[in-house]
Amino acid sequence: QVHVVESGGGLVQPGGSLRLSCVASGNIFSINAMGWYRQAPGKERELVAVITSGGTTNYADSVKGRFTISRDSAKNTVSLQMNSLKSEDTAVYYCHVLGGSWPPAVYWGQGTQVTVSS
């Protein structure tokens, strides 16, 4: 079994910062990519940021320049540093893991709530 656990969500004021972390553990032997999705109430889940095992990063246009994704491959950990937060960033954030084994597998965390409000 593979366990994906997020942490770091909470309440923050507009313009503030928050750092999310995610750790993958258990029966996973390699990882091709890790990233973050988010889903606001009444909205579809959307990609926020992703980083591959080779270090390639991609961001949603709405968060470029404000969010930074990073990884610690030795610990199967990915982090999302969120700066200059806006109310529009309020959502449940989900960690996403793409395994490197064959056949490939996708794993999801349980989600962590981020609320940006004054």
Side-chain angles (χ1 to χ4, degrees):
Q1 288 69 50
V2 175
H3 301 95
V4 180
V5 180
E6 304 111 327
S7 62
L11 175 65
V12 65
Q13 293 184 323
S17 297
L18 208 59
R19 183 178 177 88
L20 305 182
S21 295
C22 172
V23 180
S25 62
N27 294 333
I28 187 165
F29 307 107
S30 63
I31 293 174
N32 278 340
M34 299 182 72
W36 295 90
Y37 287 71
R38 68 185 181 187
Q39 187 167 25
K43 304 294 184 180
E44 295 183 353
R45 188 173 299 188
E46 64 175 352
L47 176 68
V48 178
V50 63
I51 185 166
T52 71
S53 61
T56 301
T57 59
N58 284 286
Y59 297 90
D61 190 61
S62 60
V63 307
K64 285 183 178 179
R66 299 188 297 120
F67 291 9
T68 302
I69 190 168
S70 61
R71 64 180 173 90
D72 183 343
S73 58
K75 298 182 178 181
N76 290 339
T77 299
V78 65
S79 297
L80 186 68
Q81 179 66 45
M82 304 185 293
N83 298 327
S84 302
L85 283 161
K86 307 173 181 179
S87 61
E88 303 92 277
D89 296 316
T90 296
V92 177
Y93 285 69
Y94 296 91
C95 183
H96 171 272
V97 179
L98 176 62
S101 300
W102 187 264
V106 174
Y107 307 97
W108 292 92
Q110 80 286 349
T112 185
Q113 177 70 48
V114 172
T115 302
V116 184
S117 176
S118 60

